[in-house]
Amino acid sequence: MIQAGERVLLVSSKREYYVRAGEGTLSTDLGILDLATLVGAAPGSTAATHLGHEFTVRRPRATDFFTHASRTGAPMLPKDIGMVIAYTGMSKNDRVLDAGTGSGIAAIYFGGIARTVVTCEVRPEFAKRAEKNIQDAGLENVEVRACDVLEVEGEACFEIVHLDLPVTAEHVARAHALLVSGGYLACYTPFIEGMRAAYDAAATLFSEVHTYECMEREMTRGKRGTRPSTRVGHSGYITIARR
């Protein structure tokens, strides 16, 4: 059942609203909805406005937080996050270190899979925003730290290290020290220069290094036929290195 203060999606055939169950009202062109009526509702049930228009009640998933959560900048796209998860084999047994938290979207995806996630953001105001998004996602296994990832102490204490920041040789060396044997480093870099820096630094320390371009083409289907969308499908590069 939906709890007071929990984030909820209200979905109709034409509208979608990201709200918090509890006090207050939601005013729409379809009428006013009392948010208190969402407390105790079951996901999949309906809630009606004062005009009788119904919305389906949903619990947000990671994809919904990507769309609706408050942002401090452009987050990694779901397809890029998915490549990190796929090429590292992230699982429920893993301890993950995520650096370059931003809005916390990648950490939300990781937190739904891994045992624990520590995510580091050097800008305190970004860390605060990310922490609120992660709390809204109901993830108690994700810890947000307002710090530089180079300050993380310990040796061989993570199965996966993910870097979404301007990668330097120092970052790669620190990741190598923090990873267990067989663990993975994943670096997301939007530009070729950053990819080269990550790859070259990793090649001197790790047993395996591979880089992949992040590409995606959505298909457009209409009366005339089906074809790839004309939107640009490139977003960046993922460098995967195994210790």
Side-chain angles (χ1 to χ4, degrees):
M1 297 299 179
I2 302 298
Q3 304 297 312
E6 186 176 345
R7 281 292 187 180
V8 174
L9 280 182
L10 297 176
V11 182
S12 72
S13 59
K14 296 182 180 180
R15 300 282 189 276
E16 183 172 290
Y17 295 96
Y18 178 65
V19 301
R20 196 181 298 278
E23 298 180 0
T25 58
L26 171 69
S27 297
T28 77
D29 58 341
L30 302 175
I32 299 172
L33 190 146
D34 183 356
L35 297 177
T37 63
L38 301 177
V39 178
S45 63
T46 58
T49 69
H50 79 291
L51 296 178
H53 292 280
E54 292 187 339
F55 288 87
T56 299
V57 178
R58 289 182 183 169
R59 265 203 178 97
R61 295 174 63 85
T63 49
D64 300 309
F65 287 104
F66 173 82
T67 302
H68 295 290
S70 178
R71 296 186 179 184
T72 49
M76 286 178 68
L77 296 176
K79 68 179 179 66
D80 304 337
I81 297 170
M83 288 180 70
V84 172
I85 293 168
Y87 282 110
T88 62
M90 190 180 295
S91 77
K92 63 181 180 180
N93 299 316
D94 291 334
R95 297 161 295 179
V96 177
L97 176 62
D98 170 54
T101 310
S103 304
I105 303 303
I108 288 172
Y109 274 85
F110 298 158
I113 298 171
R115 177 168 50 147
T116 60
V117 179
V118 174
T119 182
C120 301
E121 173 54 59
V122 72
R123 295 159 292 192
E125 67 278 14
F126 282 26
K128 287 182 181 179
R129 183 69 58 85
E131 190 167 29
K132 289 180 180 178
N133 287 335
I134 290 164
Q135 288 173 349
D136 284 346
L139 294 168
E140 298 181 356
N141 62 332
V142 181
E143 176 190 354
V144 180
R145 296 183 186 177
C147 71
D148 190 320
V149 67
L150 297 174
E151 299 170 2
V152 176
E153 298 179 350
E155 301 293 329
C157 47
F158 295 98
E159 279 74 31
I160 297 168
V161 174
H162 170 248
L163 303 178
D164 177 14
L165 45 73
V167 179
T168 67
E170 190 176 7
H171 289 113
V172 173
R174 188 71 196 114
H176 184 270
L178 288 166
L179 284 166
V180 301
S181 178
Y184 283 95
L185 167 64
C187 302
Y188 174 76
T189 48
F191 301 108
I192 288 178
E193 291 80 4
M195 176 270 286
R196 290 175 61 186
Y199 187 100
D200 290 349
T204 65
L205 294 172
F206 289 80
S207 61
E208 302 173 25
V209 184
H210 303 277
T211 293
Y212 306 93
E213 184 176 9
C214 305
M215 295 286 291
E216 178 183 67
R217 290 199 304 176
E218 185 177 358
M219 303 303 290
T220 300
R221 182 159 172 76
K223 292 181 178 180
R224 295 178 58 194
T226 305
R227 57 174 291 165
S229 168
T230 56
R231 292 187 300 175
V232 175
H234 166 87
S235 53
Y237 306 91
I238 299 287
T239 298
I240 303 291
R242 192 169 198 185
R243 193 183 191 289

